[in-house]
Amino acid sequence: MQWFGKAVGGIIGFVTAGPVGSVLGIILGHQLDDRGAFLRGAERPEPLQRISQLFFEVAFEVMGRVAKIDGRVSEDEIRVARAIMQGMQLAPAEVESAIEHFNRGKSESYSTSERLGALERQIGDRGDLARAFVQLQLQAAIGAGPIGPEKRQLLWHVASALRVTRAELAQIEAFVRGHSERAARQSEAQSIDDAYRVLGVAAGASDDDVKKAYRRLMNQHHPDKLVARGLPQSMIGIAEQKTHEVRAAYEKIRAQRGFK
């Protein structure tokens, strides 16, 4: 079942750059499948393949749980879920599997904590993959409309279960909302408030604090450094998109303040 790696690559591409990025993500996802096929031999599953399979399953299960948490699944939530599947360019059998897991998550007997715990154990210290998972859930929730208190609490539960902090969650939400707003108005303009949120600093922060936050985030998400620390090649798109967003936010603030 090698399509799982391609599907996860599609998820990553979709959340980082929309449907066009999904194509790149699927190509990168082949690296998961090819590496797994090479290393596991005839039958033995390779760790990255297990991660990609579980990521795919739990992603759509949690998406279904988030959609159902306020009592009913709306037409907008179904529309967004199908748009994500389409953006991932899934084959009919893969769409059927995604729908099956989405419906499983809607069930009252579904254990969000148990499944997230299993995913967290597989992900381990791959924080980039955990953030991609949270970003996908936020994109689905935001795309379907306002996020009520029950959904917001569940999204925080998802993030904390995968060791994503509140600060990271806020940054991811700012990124997703900014991306959605830009797509809606077909503009690359970024508000100054969004820029401060992306860097994780207050509007009243000193120039030095802004520069320190910028350097810290660029160091944290630099693709070459992440690869050196063990980041799978298939996850590079996440790091590249994040560094682009951080750099754009910094340039926005620098232009407004006029510092070098």
Side-chain angles (χ1 to χ4, degrees):
M1 299 181 69
Q2 293 188 6
W3 61 270
F4 280 110
K6 301 174 187 65
V8 173
I11 290 175
I12 292 165
F14 190 86
V15 300
T16 57
V20 174
S22 183
V23 177
L24 173 61
I26 291 169
I27 293 171
L28 292 173
H30 276 278
Q31 296 178 21
L32 274 176
D33 294 332
D34 294 342
R35 181 180 174 188
F38 177 77
L39 293 178
R40 71 174 178 269
E43 298 294 338
R44 182 181 173 188
E46 200 268 352
L48 289 179
Q49 182 75 358
R50 292 199 299 270
I51 291 172
S52 65
Q53 176 172 337
L54 190 60
F55 187 108
F56 178 89
E57 294 175 357
V58 181
F60 283 102
E61 290 167 8
V62 170
M63 199 181 299
R65 181 92 299 263
V66 171
K68 180 70 173 178
I69 193 65
D70 56 1
R72 63 179 293 272
V73 179
S74 70
E75 291 297 323
D76 284 335
E77 286 163 330
I78 294 173
R79 171 185 56 78
V80 170
R82 287 197 172 276
I84 289 174
M85 296 175 199
Q86 182 178 7
M88 291 166 56
Q89 300 185 347
L90 299 181
E94 299 160 6
V95 170
E96 184 177 340
S97 178
I99 293 172
E100 177 185 345
H101 286 288
F102 183 90
N103 290 333
R104 183 177 300 173
K106 288 161 48 180
S107 171
E108 292 300 324
S109 62
Y110 179 75
S111 176
T112 308
S113 296
E114 181 179 333
R115 290 292 276 167
L116 286 171
L119 181 62
E120 191 277 330
R121 288 190 293 274
Q122 285 289 335
I123 288 177
D125 59 0
R126 293 180 175 90
D128 56 298
L129 194 52
R131 288 186 290 272
F133 185 96
V134 172
Q135 186 172 325
L136 174 65
Q137 302 306 324
L138 275 168
Q139 182 156 341
I142 290 170
I147 300 178
E150 290 178 307
K151 284 187 179 179
R152 189 163 291 283
Q153 181 60 35
L154 179 54
L155 287 167
W156 165 236
H157 172 64
V158 171
S160 61
L162 298 178
R163 295 185 289 174
V164 174
T165 67
R166 284 194 182 276
E168 289 175 318
L169 181 63
Q171 286 185 343
I172 294 169
E173 182 171 354
F175 170 78
V176 172
R177 288 191 182 279
H179 185 87
S180 298
E181 289 167 6
R182 287 194 300 274
R185 61 181 180 258
Q186 295 185 336
S187 170
E188 288 300 318
Q190 178 187 49
S191 77
I192 194 67
D193 289 340
D194 285 341
Y196 282 113
R197 281 195 291 269
V198 168
L199 292 189
V201 297
S206 68
D207 291 352
D208 284 343
D209 285 341
V210 170
K211 293 175 182 178
K212 288 177 182 177
Y214 169 69
R215 288 193 292 266
R216 175 177 56 80
L217 288 171
M218 290 298 289
N219 181 65
Q220 179 182 343
H221 297 285
H222 193 285
D224 291 342
K225 292 186 178 181
L226 287 173
V227 168
R229 293 199 290 264
L231 174 70
Q233 290 289 327
S234 57
M235 305 300 148
I236 288 178
I238 297 173
E240 290 178 339
Q241 182 66 22
K242 184 64 177 180
T243 55
H244 173 78
E245 188 77 7
V246 169
R247 188 177 295 110
Y250 178 72
E251 293 297 335
K252 185 82 172 180
I253 295 171
R254 187 172 70 167
Q256 187 209 43
R257 294 190 176 197
F259 64 75
K260 294 183 178 180

